């Protein structure tokens, strides 16, 4: 099993920034593909960003490109999501997820069913 714990969410005004963190334990972190998902009320959960095991390949949903940056620190067993230029449409619960089987090789993000491990989520609220 892998345990994932998110932190860093909160309330921010439009145009502001937040950095989310996800601390992992229970399995070698450098063997995991890591992702951030988000889910707003009444909407499906969607992938926001993915970073591969080697840390060199990153993928983003279109709405996040140019504003969000995913990164990882294998020594700390932590993945981050830096979110800049936030807008109210970014309001959601943000979840950290891990996949031990896949290396993403295309810009098409895989769905939540492909991720084996999930954190409890952290709320991000962006006010207009």
């Amino acid at each position: 099993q892998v345990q994932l714990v998110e932190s860093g969410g909160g309330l921010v005004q439009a145009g502001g920034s937040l950095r989310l963190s996800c601390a992992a334990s229970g399995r070698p972190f450098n063997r995991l593909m890591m992702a951030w998902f988000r889910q707003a009320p009444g909407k499906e959960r969607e992938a926001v960003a993915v970073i591969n095991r080697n840390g060199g390949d990153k993928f983003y949903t279109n709405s996040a490109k140019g504003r969000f940056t995913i990164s990882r620190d294998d020594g700390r067993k932590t993945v981050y999501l830096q979110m800049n230029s936030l807008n109210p449409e970014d309001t959601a619960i943000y979840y950290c997820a891990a996949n031990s089987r896949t290396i993403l090789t295309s810009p098409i993000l895989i769905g939540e069913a492909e991720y084996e491990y999930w954190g409890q989520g952290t709320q991000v609220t962006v006010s207009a």
Side-chain angles (χ1 to χ4, degrees):
Q1 287 289 104
V2 173
Q3 294 79 46
L4 303 173
V5 180
E6 303 98 332
S7 62
L11 175 65
V12 65
Q13 291 183 310
S17 299
L18 287 172
R19 187 174 74 158
L20 307 183
S21 298
C22 174
S25 63
R27 192 165 182 171
F29 182 76
N30 60 5
R31 298 183 182 181
L32 300 173
M33 183 174 76
M34 304 297 298
W36 287 96
F37 283 72
R38 66 186 178 188
Q39 186 168 25
K43 297 184 178 180
E44 70 278 5
R45 190 172 300 183
E46 65 169 347
V48 177
V50 177
I51 185 166
N52 271 332
R53 300 173 184 176
N54 60 17
D57 299 321
K58 304 173 183 178
F59 305 89
Y60 301 91
T61 192
N62 286 338
S63 64
K65 292 177 181 177
R67 300 189 300 127
F68 294 4
T69 302
I70 188 170
S71 61
R72 65 192 293 163
D73 185 333
D74 287 355
R76 291 178 176 267
K77 298 183 178 181
T78 301
V79 63
Y80 304 94
L81 185 67
Q82 178 68 47
M83 304 186 293
N84 299 326
S85 301
L86 287 163
N87 58 63
E89 289 68 43
D90 297 314
T91 295
I93 300 175
Y94 283 71
Y95 298 90
C96 179
N99 180 308
S100 68
R101 305 162 297 175
T102 302
I103 298 176
L104 194 63
T105 58
S106 82
I108 301 175
L109 302 180
I110 60 176
E112 61 183 280
E114 303 301 320
Y115 290 86
E116 306 156 75
Y117 309 107
W118 293 84
Q120 296 300 305
T122 185
Q123 177 71 49
V124 171
T125 302
V126 184
S127 61

